[in-house]
Amino acid sequence: MVLGALAFTGIIAAAPRAQETASPGITDDAVRIGISAPLTGPVAAIGAIAEGIRTKVDVINAAGGVKMGDAKTRKIELLVEDDGLDPQRTLTNVRKLVEREEVFAVLATAGTPNNQAIGRYATQREVPNLFMYSGVHELAGPEWEIGLVPSFTTEAAAFARYLMDTKPEAKIALLYLNTETGQTFQKALEDSVSMSNIKIVASQPVTSADPTVETQLSTLKASGADTLVVITGPKQGAEAVRFATESGWKPTTLVSNIAASVASLKPAGLENAKGVITSQYLKQVNAAMPGDDPGIKRYIADHEAAKASFAVDDALGQVGYATGDALVKVLESMKEPTRSAMMETVRNLGGVQLDLLLPGITLNTKSGEDVYPIESLQLFQFDGAAYQPVGSMISFEGKTPSH
Amino acid sequence: MQLFFQLVVDGLASGAIYASLALALVLIFRATRIVNFGQGEMATFSAYCAWQLCEWGMPMTPSFLVVGALAFLLGIGVFRFVIRPVSKAPVEAVVVVTLGLFVVFQALSLWLWGSDQRAFPSMFPNVGWDLLGVRVTASAVGIVGVLLGLAVATGAIFRFTRLGLAMRASAYDGEKSLLVGIPVERMLMLGWGFAAVIGFVAAVLVGPRLFLSPTMMMPILLYALASATLGGWDSPLGAMIGGLIVGVAESLGATFLPFIGADLRVVIPILVTLLVLLVRPVGLFGTRTVVKL
């Protein structure tokens, strides 16, 4: 069995392009997809993404499966492994998924370092690392990986555009996570405002192990800045939002969408979060007032049918649902049941609509030019109870600043 | 200059958070000569219980009292069923067992309540004052005040009451204490129960600042250990002051020593502790143990 698998992959490696038969992990009636996600540990909240994908996939399977581009209908088999967001475990899981479980592709791997850890392996094995949950799109395995959520550079540019329009003399204080995530954002923000009168007057790094970040915030406040930009995890984001109000500073506060969900701001006191601005690409789902948007209705119905374990307004669960939706769309348009056909498809997405994407946002990529599926963002401002849209959609289609 | 004083105040506020856990660590050490690495996670677990009662509609004060009593029983139970069976084992074994407590209680909280951060009700009003441009919040003042009171009170109990004397004796030498008629077993149980309650109070105090989550106390543990070592492992007041010193040193050091930055912050408390220990090996307020031959 093991020898057989080795021999088989040997053949693929020898002649990757000439091969016309199906890749591993796909038969005439099923395609097997692997997920490595943090189901436990300090950031187990991200595990809701895997559950969101399952929600979409369960409903699709219950309806018979996906009719793929080669006219065969296949069910999606999901295999989920826990990595606690530890890059080493992500690599172990992906190895296991690819070599023992023979998955066709891995999906929605969360975390920038985690995707860096599996990048080279995915390239060597020629396994698609599909729709990573990371805002850094330029990682270790460029040929075989693609992200989904907007790049942090897109968000930084959207924030800069907002400030140029509304506060052209803004003095920015930046609180950023001291990882690839925060550094990418910082660099992009610097580049975006370099041609304007906006100045970044102070920036302070935080690590996710800091018990509190008040010292950093006091230093930022003392810099005389009138605008606070936050790119950190949800805990420190909420702390920053609370500090900005409680300390009497009251700057214009812009918080990255990775930390700005209503649920994660709640511990800081929603009255403190009033006025916070964030960017978003997903629709705002309000369980109490679902409205008549067909996409949201379908999501809520599927959420119920699949008995999803996350709350219906959990932003990460929604990201997962959208990822599952995108997977289905990709499978539908793949001409051949091969891994390279899958990459070919995701490299040339054109106007793909998803149920939960805001109206006007679609997935677009172009082989060799555009690796960012989502490049438009809508800014929202928190009114004390919910986020309300501010201004019109900001689109960077084909113009996302590269990292 | 204004920034300097603001950072001192911020340092005191975060120092109080470190001190809260350090106080519970020192208490249990004083009462049983064991460093309980699971102390913070036990406290978090109790805080979750209190939060759950509030969510179910119980008012804040009675739910805190109920869970305070539960925490006492939890401390006793942990000692009786987990620590006592290994109490004659080498110290390394006991350390591993308390690390086990750390893992088990964190996993239990994660399993029961998930990893989302929650709002924990605050005992202090949400106000602050501006003193010559330095911002002081009521919750920071409240935390420091309550902890200082607790540290002085527990220190006094150990120092001046028969019960405290009996507890110290039991921890120091179980066999000889038994010979003079001290119910050693009961004293140790009491020590664990007592420390668990203090831990719970600490968690209640810092919960609104840190937001309630299963890993809330985890990043603090290192700072709390440094604080307790700095202050002296047998002095509650020392732990308190050690915590404040660590907090201020961290706050000022990270800001005014530019090469330190975000990643080296955690080195500051360790460095301060090391320097103090070089001069005074028992910590600032620790008592020297004299062995007569």
Side-chain angles (χ1 to χ4, degrees), chain A residues 45 48 261 263 299 310-319, chain B residues 116:
Chain A
S261 78
Y299 160 71
F310 56 90
V312 77
D313 56 0
D314 183 330
L316 288 163
Q318 292 162 13
V319 170
Chain B
D116 300 331

Side-chain angles (χ1 to χ4, degrees), chain B residues 251-276:
Chain B
S251 161
L252 293 180
T255 310
F256 292 117
L257 304 175
F259 58 91
I260 286 194
D263 292 324
L264 279 180
R265 286 177 82 90
V266 71
V267 176
I268 298 172
I270 310 295
L271 208 63
V272 171
T273 309
L274 198 70
L275 288 177
V276 169

